[in-house]
Amino acid sequence: MLDIQKIRADFPILKREVNGKPLIYFDNAATSQTPQVVIDAIVDYYSTYNANIHRGVHTLSQEATDAYEVARKKVQEHFNAKNDYEIILTAGTTHAVNIVATGFTSFLSEDDEIIVSAMEHHSNIVPWQMLCERTGAQLKVIPMTEQGVLKMDVYESLLSDKTKLVFVNHVSNALGTVNPVEFIIEKAHKVGAAVLIDGAQATPHIKPDVQALDVDFYVASAHKLCGPTGVGLLYGKEEWLNKLPPYQGGGDMIDQVTFEKTTYAGLPFKFEAGTPNICGGIAFGVALDYMNSIGFDAIANYEKELLDYATERLKEIEGLRIYGEADEKTAVISFNVGNIHPYDIGTIVDKLGVAVRTGHHCAQPIMDFYKIPGTVRASFAFYNTKEEIDVLVEAVKRAVMMLS
Ligand SMILES: *Cc1c(COP(=O)(O)O)cnc(C)c1O
């Protein structure tokens, strides 16, 4: 059992008001809120040991380097990577996906195929389209059902010895569907394809084990995990990271530089050109500690309770349709009411202090599939409550009354 009131006290932002009403934050799938311990880590870094890392012999630089490498270890442990140098600290999911997509340019040709899913975030569609343009490779798409579940039989029929890479999100940010990544990985490996899983939306709810998954690459962002923006990770199996060329050239990623030839640093530095988000990396480690102190099993159980409650209560509203009805989903509810534009509902509920997201959620192909302009999306975190859901339901009812 979680002590929700105690947890809520960890998040200073939850004390604020919006439009004269207590803030109810239901936009966790876009970014999560930040607990005081993470804010303290950021303040402490800039107040006491702000310095560039990996280069200095002076005390501050060594303290910052140590703290940054401790954070990498924490990320390694959290994701159960075999080695700490298999964890590349990036600017986030998008950056991590681009490192892999760009790196694959030299591995692909016209005869090759890449498979993605119909429920991807734009950050996961565009880099693959760009990769296909550069190489002539074909992009294949795993379709989904009306319930928002990927069709695994079609996936299996798309796989062949032409398949070089499979890319799927672990959890859909627009629908909440938890995809069968174990199955997807196993089948891809049978035809010799590599798999990259986007965990941006899964990691706030599920603690992934990259070795148990046997996944080749796994990416996520700290800011959806109670950490700061502008930092995330690329996990890659050692053999893949060694094969992949560096993404950016610059300081820290080199071994020797002459004008004739430069040799690259080993892992992980080969992929970490330039001064990274040092403070962000350190705070990411603290955020993981915080989440683990609450416990992912407890988080998952409680969020399931919130999801079930909110689903039941929202269904009271006549004409409300939920998009994404997979058996296995995280605490995300995408919905519309009749023909009311999602933006209008979002604007009215904001007046009542409730933050939801409206629009296409960076997943236009999903909206095209359902032939809608977008949805209202309420996404819950472990610091939300059923009382807040009651306010959301009343706010939506009021919006519907005003708009229909
Ligand atoms: C948020 C999100 C991204 C993008 O993450 P950034 O932190 O903006 O790079 C990618 N995929 C999914 C599924 C997401 O939810």
Side-chain angles (χ1 to χ4, degrees):
M1 276 290 283
L2 297 180
D3 183 346
I4 302 302
Q5 287 317 316
K6 184 166 166 289
I7 287 171
R8 287 180 67 81
D10 294 336
F11 291 81
I13 207 167
L14 297 179
K15 294 185 191 82
R16 79 161 276 185
E17 295 195 340
V18 170
N19 295 320
K21 302 278 193 301
L23 165 69
I24 295 182
Y25 187 75
F26 285 159
D27 195 17
N28 295 288
T31 200
S32 53
Q33 292 303 344
T34 317
Q36 190 65 50
V37 279
V38 173
I39 298 170
D40 288 346
I42 294 168
V43 172
D44 184 44
Y45 171 80
Y46 282 112
S47 312
T48 63
Y49 63 105
N50 176 29
N52 211 332
I53 53 171
H54 297 147
R55 291 179 254 253
V57 291
H58 64 81
T59 304
L60 258 53
S61 175
Q62 284 179 10
E63 284 178 12
T65 303
D66 289 349
Y68 196 68
E69 292 308 319
V70 164
R72 191 190 311 277
K73 280 260 174 216
K74 286 180 182 176
V75 177
Q76 176 204 351
E77 276 164 29
H78 182 79
F79 288 89
N80 195 31
K82 196 158 148 206
N83 303 296
D84 58 359
Y85 52 79
E86 292 173 313
I87 301 294
I88 314 298
L89 293 169
T90 67
T93 300
T94 305
H95 178 202
V97 170
N98 277 283
I99 292 174
V100 179
T102 307
F104 260 74
T105 307
S106 50
F107 305 156
L108 296 184
S109 66
E110 281 168 3
D111 298 327
D112 295 327
E113 294 176 355
I114 301 169
I115 297 179
V116 300
S117 90
M119 57 174 83
E120 294 307 320
H121 191 279
H122 293 165
S123 78
N124 304 339
I125 301 173
V126 185
W128 307 117
Q129 287 172 330
M130 290 165 68
L131 174 60
C132 287
E133 274 170 31
R134 287 194 298 274
T135 60
Q138 297 287 314
L139 195 66
K140 303 276 168 177
V141 181
I142 313 167
M144 65 176 196
T145 65
E146 210 38 45
Q147 279 67 44
V149 176
L150 292 178
K151 294 182 178 171
M152 282 301 106
D153 51 334
V154 181
Y155 169 59
E156 285 192 81
S157 71
L158 290 175
L159 284 166
S160 74
D161 57 2
K162 292 180 169 180
T163 314
K164 291 294 166 326
L165 190 73
V166 176
F167 179 86
V168 176
N169 58 30
H170 196 162
V171 169
S172 156
N173 69 305
L175 304 172
T177 309
V178 181
N179 287 314
V181 289
E182 293 85 353
F183 180 86
I184 290 169
I185 293 163
E186 195 196 315
K187 294 293 173 192
H189 284 168
K190 288 228 164 88
V191 297
V195 182
L196 166 51
I197 300 292
D198 169 4
Q201 206 56 238
T203 44
H205 317 283
I206 298 166
K207 187 170 176 167
D209 179 331
V210 292
Q211 288 188 80
L213 285 172
D214 194 28
V215 68
D216 303 287
F217 303 99
Y218 196 96
V219 299
S221 295
H223 71 93
K224 292 181 181 172
L225 268 164
C226 294
T229 56
V231 65
L233 82 137
L234 163 62
Y235 159 78
K237 279 184 186 163
E238 180 176 3
E239 55 268 39
W240 270 115
L241 292 178
N242 280 329
K243 259 195 267 181
L244 221 57
Y247 177 59
Q248 288 180 309
D252 242 17
M253 56 75 75
I254 43 86
D255 173 26
Q256 299 254 321
V257 178
T258 66
F259 281 106
E260 286 70 42
K261 181 162 177 59
T262 291
T263 51
Y264 304 127
L267 296 174
F269 307 113
K270 179 174 129 185
F271 294 104
E272 295 185 355
T275 303
N277 185 349
I278 301 166
C279 177
I282 294 167
F284 184 14
V286 175
L288 288 176
D289 284 346
Y290 177 79
M291 300 277 292
N292 280 308
S293 76
I294 292 169
F296 279 81
D297 288 340
I299 289 173
N301 286 336
Y302 179 65
E303 288 178 348
K304 172 89 172 64
E305 234 178 85
L306 291 180
L307 175 68
D308 290 346
Y309 183 72
T311 305
E312 275 311 302
R313 289 244 35 217
L314 282 168
K315 280 184 174 164
E316 288 171 13
I317 298 168
E318 223 183 278
L320 185 139
R321 164 154 187 206
I322 292 174
Y323 300 91
E325 295 171 301
D327 290 337
E328 263 212 81
K329 64 180 273 195
T330 57
V332 171
I333 303 185
S334 254
F335 64 91
N336 278 325
V337 186
N339 289 325
I340 302 173
H341 200 283
Y343 178 84
D344 294 335
I345 294 181
T347 308
I348 293 177
V349 303
D350 179 63
K351 294 271 184 297
L352 301 167
V354 184
V356 291
R357 182 147 295 242
T358 62
H360 54 60
H361 318 299
C362 296
Q364 270 170 4
I366 297 181
M367 305 305 139
D368 294 344
F369 175 82
Y370 289 114
K371 300 189 174 59
I372 50 175
T375 68
V376 181
R377 182 185 70 187
S379 52
F380 311 118
F382 56 93
Y383 42 74
N384 290 130
T385 65
K386 288 185 184 168
E387 291 72 27
E388 290 181 313
I389 290 168
D390 290 335
V391 177
L392 167 73
V393 173
E394 290 317 308
V396 175
K397 282 182 180 170
R398 206 143 122 197
V400 171
M401 230 157 61
M402 290 167 69
L403 293 165
S404 50

